[in-house]
Amino acid sequence: MKITRREFNRIAALGAGAGLLPRISLGADDRKIGYCIVGLGRISIGQFMPAVKLSNKSKITALVSGHRDKADRIAAQYGVPSSNIYSYENYDEIRNNPGIDAVYIALPNSMHAEYTIRAAKAGKHVLCEKPMATTVEDCRAMIQACEHANRKLMIAYRCQYEPTNLRAVQLIRDGKIGSVQSIESAFGFSIAPHEWRLEKKMSGGGPLVDVGIYCLNASRYLTGLEPVELKGISSVVDRDGRFTQVEETLSWTTKFPNGALASCTCTYGGPMLGYFRVRGSQGTIMVEPAFNYDGLHLSAQLEGGQTVDFAPDDPSPRQFLREADHMADCILQNKQPKTPGQEGLRDMELIARIYRSCETT
């Protein structure tokens, strides 16, 4: 028997004493996936959690933080009971909370592997921010732990769920610009001193693992191919003490099996609006900005002189809403995520190759 929530409330008021409630089900469509937020930083508080608040498929049910006062404040905003606030020390106790279906991991990069593996052992699915981890070995360990526990592992490549990027991919797949000849892409910003991202032990690298990964991943999903050759070069221009452990700017070139080339640059040295330009034998697609939280814009000159101008009115929470709900669908329907752990592993393998190339140039 499937009923609406309004009918449920009416029956509850009139017939609870008659023993009706135990035989009533709200149905699978009304099930919401409960997320435990691991790490209360800028991306979780400013983006992911507001997005989930808009969802019909997902909800915030627990928090993990090293700052109890902060967690209490955020919990009050999202209706999370104090009993569902965990520290990093008692994190493993989430296994005993049936209200937690999945964790969203938004910690510094070096912590992704540990808290993914612990979540899997606790029987929880994992949505992990990119980069997946700081080493290829950690990525493989994360995949193995989730497979062993029969839990989903999804990497939060939000652009792969975003309409502007998806429109670019579809135009290419439909042959609207002919065969892809080249891709140009860049992304960067001026990083503040003392950011944890400047400590290689925590970040795993400089702008390549932080913002360059957008360009790298885009070149893969735009072509639908895996690189066969990679060559990189890095530099430090600003000798102001920020870049003692990681690179300031890094550029690399990629060759794909069909002969297409990609040229990408990332930096922590100054503002560089994220974009990509795909040049084909019959046309060109330009997306700028391409990787921001909102304001994305696509323009294209297609085969036969046709033009496309696409700029969806898409406020920032919706990018995070799409990925949260995709994960929810995968859990509820037992499907493989579009961006599973193997997608994050592949990027980290390529990043390792780029860094090795930089060491020899």
Side-chain angles (χ1 to χ4, degrees):
M1 180 179 181
K2 185 176 179 180
I3 64 172
T4 66
R5 289 189 181 276
R6 179 174 295 179
E7 290 168 336
F8 177 84
N9 291 335
R10 179 175 59 80
I11 294 171
L14 297 176
L20 293 174
L21 291 181
R23 296 192 298 272
I24 294 171
S25 170
L26 290 179
D29 290 344
D30 294 302
R31 166 100 156 89
K32 280 191 174 186
I33 291 300
Y35 277 102
C36 175
I37 308 302
V38 186
L40 300 181
R42 285 173 292 189
I43 197 167
S44 56
I45 294 176
Q47 301 297 332
F48 188 82
M49 294 178 71
V52 172
K53 204 169 187 178
L54 302 173
S55 177
N56 294 320
K57 301 178 181 180
S58 312
K59 59 184 177 179
I60 307 299
T61 56
L63 306 174
V64 178
S65 175
H67 303 279
R68 181 67 192 220
D69 55 342
K70 183 179 184 180
D72 284 334
R73 186 175 71 254
I74 300 301
Q77 297 175 19
Y78 287 86
V80 175
S82 59
S83 58
N84 284 9
I85 299 175
Y86 300 86
S87 67
Y88 296 112
E89 288 73 24
N90 69 357
Y91 172 68
D92 300 318
E93 293 180 13
I94 64 173
R95 73 172 66 249
N96 302 317
N97 192 333
I100 300 172
D101 299 291
V103 300
Y104 169 68
I105 296 179
L107 296 166
N109 306 341
S110 61
M111 301 171 73
H112 289 183
E114 176 187 348
Y115 285 87
T116 291
I117 292 169
R118 289 170 67 180
K121 289 180 177 179
K124 308 303 179 182
H125 303 282
V126 179
L127 173 56
C128 181
E129 270 300 335
K130 59 85 201 152
M132 182 175 175
T134 57
T135 68
V136 169
E137 292 73 22
D138 277 350
C139 293
R140 290 173 178 158
M142 293 162 71
I143 293 171
Q144 183 178 27
C146 290
E147 288 179 346
H148 184 265
N150 194 27
R151 299 294 89 182
K152 310 291 183 188
L153 172 58
M154 173 177 157
I155 309 305
Y157 285 107
R158 57 184 171 79
C159 291
Q160 292 207 38
Y161 304 91
E162 188 280 319
T164 316
N165 281 266
L166 292 175
R167 183 70 175 274
V169 171
Q170 192 60 55
L171 289 171
I172 294 169
R173 298 294 184 275
D174 290 345
K176 297 298 185 180
I177 62 169
S179 58
V180 173
Q181 304 294 313
S182 67
I183 298 173
E184 302 140 37
S185 185
F187 199 15
F189 64 96
S190 181
I191 196 168
H194 313 300
E195 281 259 6
W196 64 262
R197 290 174 176 82
L198 294 171
E199 298 183 26
K200 189 172 183 178
K201 185 176 180 180
M202 295 184 71
S203 64
L208 176 58
V209 300
D210 184 18
V211 289
I213 194 171
Y214 286 97
C215 308
L216 177 63
N217 196 251
S219 69
R220 294 177 53 234
Y221 61 71
L222 290 167
T223 60
L225 299 170
E226 296 296 341
V228 291
E229 294 182 33
L230 289 158
K231 295 180 181 179
I233 187 167
S234 63
S235 70
V236 174
V237 176
D238 297 315
R239 307 283 177 172
D240 54 15
R242 289 179 294 169
F243 305 109
T244 58
Q245 298 184 38
V246 301
E247 75 277 4
E248 179 179 12
T249 300
L250 192 150
S251 295
W252 72 96
T253 55
T254 308
K255 184 177 181 179
F256 291 93
N258 65 347
L261 302 176
S263 176
C264 305
T265 297
C266 57
T267 188
Y268 275 164
M272 187 180 288
L273 187 63
Y275 79 93
F276 61 75
R277 180 185 288 108
V278 186
R279 301 183 188 274
S281 58
Q282 302 295 327
T284 301
I285 297 170
M286 176 73 174
V287 179
E288 184 178 23
F291 313 124
N292 290 17
Y293 294 150
D294 52 24
L296 277 62
H297 178 248
L298 178 151
S299 58
Q301 297 286 332
L302 307 181
E303 184 180 14
Q306 180 186 358
T307 62
V308 175
D309 190 85
F310 182 67
D313 182 13
D314 200 39
S316 61
R318 292 201 61 82
Q319 291 190 23
F320 292 82
L321 175 61
R322 290 188 188 93
E323 65 182 14
D325 281 356
H326 178 78
M327 180 63 161
D329 285 338
C330 289
I331 295 170
L332 292 169
Q333 300 170 25
N334 193 27
K335 300 188 304 184
Q336 172 83 332
K338 179 183 178 183
T339 54
Q342 288 78 5
E343 179 78 352
L345 168 63
R346 187 57 180 147
D347 273 347
M348 288 310 301
E349 290 173 334
L350 296 171
I351 284 171
R353 287 174 58 185
I354 293 170
Y355 275 133
R356 287 196 298 268
S357 176
C358 290
E359 292 171 359
T360 60
T361 54

